[in-house]
Amino acid sequence: MNSLYDEVVFRFKNALPEKHLLTSTNIQTGSTQYQLYTLVLGKGNPRRALISAGIHGDEPGGVETLLKFLEQKEYENYINEWEFTLLPCINPSGLNAGTRENAEAIDLNRKFREANPPEEVQYAQSFFDKPFDLDIELHEDYDSPGYYLFQKEDEPVSPLGRSILDEVAKIMPLNISEEIEELPADNGLLARLSDPEEMDWWPMALYAYSRGCKKIVTLETATSFPMETRVRAHLKAIEIALARY
Ligand SMILES: [Zn+2]
């Protein structure tokens, strides 16, 4: 029987456009080997965006969004300006098991400051040698009543995060709590983040920042909504991030 990850790879390969650059990396988690795929579109274009999903295995909406981004050719409007690096699923063992962590019970998005991180993290880190202009990370939240996002960039923070939320709110309500994940939030926007130097651990977003990425958005849907709504919300967020960068 095909695993969920096998199906992701099948759809991903089926949706490849004519001009593309596909690479793959072999990683081992526990006793199982996985092939992780990376797609680059619009190579050499002036602006560079990284879009990634599935670092938490129990957040399938991000992976589905990235597949739809390809299948529906959502990149087409931006392909003359942006070079895309797409990582459709960073944590295949977690996706197959339906767990946040990988098969070694590690939350990969806590390991980006480690000297010797898990292979999935090393794989993700390998793309940051040349700084991206934009890093979009697709997540989901089981406890949130609505959509929200983390925005990380040099001060002053640009209006990009607010622009995304204004448009996404037409598809999914925002999480309007004043505090989300123990951080101050403003109508779904978390831009007052901890100082990376003071943190013992880093998520991928802070690693991206440390590697010179100019704008980073970590996007969170509310898992209680139907998959179709979550994917539409994420696709809208990607569209706004690219169009109003
Ligand atoms: Zn997540």
Side-chain angles (χ1 to χ4, degrees):
M1 200 182 76
N2 279 350
S3 71
L4 278 176
Y5 184 64
D6 289 338
E7 281 173 35
V8 168
V9 171
F10 181 79
R11 284 176 61 190
F12 187 72
K13 287 183 171 173
N14 260 336
L16 294 177
E18 210 170 288
K19 274 174 76 178
H20 68 265
L21 190 68
L22 183 69
T23 54
S24 71
T25 307
N26 201 269
I27 60 134
Q28 181 156 343
T29 305
S31 55
T32 311
Q33 304 242 344
Y34 295 91
Q35 205 71 22
L36 295 182
Y37 292 88
T38 309
L39 179 62
V40 175
L41 299 176
K43 180 116 187 89
N45 282 343
R47 283 179 169 169
R48 300 179 68 244
L50 176 71
I51 310 178
S52 70
I55 196 165
H56 290 139
D58 61 347
E59 299 172 10
V63 178
E64 185 63 28
T65 299
L66 216 146
L67 290 171
K68 286 281 194 317
F69 183 79
L70 267 183
E71 289 169 343
Q72 297 172 185
K73 303 190 190 304
E74 302 279 341
Y75 51 82
E76 268 185 349
N77 286 337
Y78 311 100
I79 204 63
N80 292 323
E81 188 183 0
W82 286 92
E83 177 189 294
F84 294 105
T85 301
L86 305 178
L87 313 184
C89 183
I90 296 172
N91 179 8
S93 65
L95 182 82
N96 284 343
T99 57
R100 177 181 178 88
E101 298 81 11
N102 73 359
E104 293 171 358
I106 296 169
D107 184 337
L108 299 172
N109 211 25
R110 299 285 179 275
K111 298 292 178 189
F112 279 77
R113 205 180 187 177
E114 301 224 332
N116 196 11
E119 288 190 30
E120 296 94 325
V121 171
Q122 292 182 35
Y123 157 78
Q125 286 176 331
S126 70
F127 299 98
F128 288 95
D129 286 348
K130 190 173 155 200
F132 288 99
D133 298 289
L134 175 65
D135 173 25
I136 300 174
E137 305 189 11
L138 302 170
H139 284 257
E140 305 208 80
D141 189 323
Y142 280 83
D143 305 317
S144 178
Y147 202 93
Y148 65 94
L149 66 84
F150 300 85
Q151 180 179 6
K152 181 69 187 160
E153 51 190 87
D154 283 334
E155 302 287 339
V157 172
S158 76
L160 187 66
R162 179 53 61 200
S163 303
I164 292 171
L165 291 167
D166 284 347
E167 291 301 319
V168 169
K170 297 170 188 167
I171 298 167
M172 179 185 287
L174 303 180
N175 181 339
I176 55 167
S177 314
E178 286 178 6
E179 199 172 85
I180 302 174
E181 301 283 314
E182 297 175 9
L183 289 165
D186 173 18
N187 272 310
L189 180 67
L190 292 92
R192 283 152 61 197
L193 307 178
S194 314
D195 178 359
E197 288 313 315
E198 287 172 8
M199 286 182 74
D200 295 334
W201 59 268
W202 282 353
M204 184 162 138
L206 289 188
Y207 184 80
Y209 182 72
S210 79
R211 303 292 295 170
C213 183
K214 295 192 186 80
K215 296 184 186 184
I216 302 139
V217 286
T218 305
L219 306 174
E220 303 270 358
T221 69
T223 324
S224 55
F225 286 83
M227 177 63 91
E228 190 264 336
T229 308
R230 286 140 60 196
V231 169
R232 260 198 312 136
H234 265 348
L235 284 175
K236 177 58 75 177
I238 294 172
E239 178 196 324
I240 301 298
L242 295 169
R244 309 226 188 128
Y245 179 85

mmCIF file of all heavy atoms in Angstrom, residues 56 59 100 139-140, ligand 1:
data_model
loop_
_atom_site.group_PDB
_atom_site.id
_atom_site.type_symbol
_atom_site.label_atom_id
_atom_site.label_comp_id
_atom_site.label_asym_id
_atom_site.label_seq_id
_atom_site.Cartn_x
_atom_site.Cartn_y
_atom_site.Cartn_z
ATOM 1 N N HIS A 56 5.967 19.789 10.322
ATOM 2 C CA HIS A 56 5.165 19.106 11.340
ATOM 3 C C HIS A 56 4.244 18.118 10.613
ATOM 4 O O HIS A 56 3.418 18.523 9.796
ATOM 5 C CB HIS A 56 4.364 20.110 12.169
ATOM 6 C CG HIS A 56 5.222 20.943 13.070
ATOM 7 N ND1 HIS A 56 5.018 22.292 13.265
ATOM 8 C CD2 HIS A 56 6.305 20.594 13.822
ATOM 9 C CE1 HIS A 56 5.942 22.740 14.118
ATOM 10 N NE2 HIS A 56 6.730 21.733 14.462
ATOM 11 N N GLU A 59 0.239 18.351 10.105
ATOM 12 C CA GLU A 59 -0.322 19.586 9.553
ATOM 13 C C GLU A 59 -0.420 19.452 8.025
ATOM 14 O O GLU A 59 0.309 20.104 7.277
ATOM 15 C CB GLU A 59 0.554 20.776 9.973
ATOM 16 C CG GLU A 59 0.619 20.932 11.495
ATOM 17 C CD GLU A 59 1.616 21.983 11.980
ATOM 18 O OE1 GLU A 59 2.152 22.747 11.155
ATOM 19 O OE2 GLU A 59 1.853 22.029 13.202
ATOM 20 N N ARG A 100 3.265 15.259 14.849
ATOM 21 C CA ARG A 100 4.011 16.509 14.727
ATOM 22 C C ARG A 100 5.511 16.215 14.566
ATOM 23 O O ARG A 100 6.187 16.793 13.720
ATOM 24 C CB ARG A 100 3.781 17.337 16.001
ATOM 25 C CG ARG A 100 4.543 18.637 16.070
ATOM 26 C CD ARG A 100 4.231 19.346 17.406
ATOM 27 N NE ARG A 100 4.964 20.583 17.561
ATOM 28 C CZ ARG A 100 4.539 21.782 17.123
ATOM 29 N NH1 ARG A 100 3.383 21.896 16.513
ATOM 30 N NH2 ARG A 100 5.262 22.861 17.296
ATOM 31 N N HIS A 139 2.067 26.143 7.943
ATOM 32 C CA HIS A 139 1.748 25.368 9.147
ATOM 33 C C HIS A 139 0.238 25.342 9.375
ATOM 34 O O HIS A 139 -0.522 26.016 8.679
ATOM 35 C CB HIS A 139 2.406 26.007 10.374
ATOM 36 C CG HIS A 139 3.873 25.754 10.478
ATOM 37 N ND1 HIS A 139 4.415 24.842 11.336
ATOM 38 C CD2 HIS A 139 4.926 26.319 9.818
ATOM 39 C CE1 HIS A 139 5.739 24.840 11.211
ATOM 40 N NE2 HIS A 139 6.076 25.720 10.293
ATOM 41 N N GLU A 140 -0.150 24.567 10.412
ATOM 42 C CA GLU A 140 -1.539 24.538 10.869
ATOM 43 C C GLU A 140 -1.528 24.481 12.391
ATOM 44 O O GLU A 140 -0.554 24.031 13.006
ATOM 45 C CB GLU A 140 -2.258 23.300 10.338
ATOM 46 C CG GLU A 140 -2.178 23.166 8.828
ATOM 47 C CD GLU A 140 -3.362 22.411 8.263
ATOM 48 O OE1 GLU A 140 -4.419 23.035 8.104
ATOM 49 O OE2 GLU A 140 -3.223 21.197 8.011
HETATM 50 ZN ZN ZN B 1 3.492 23.592 12.687
#
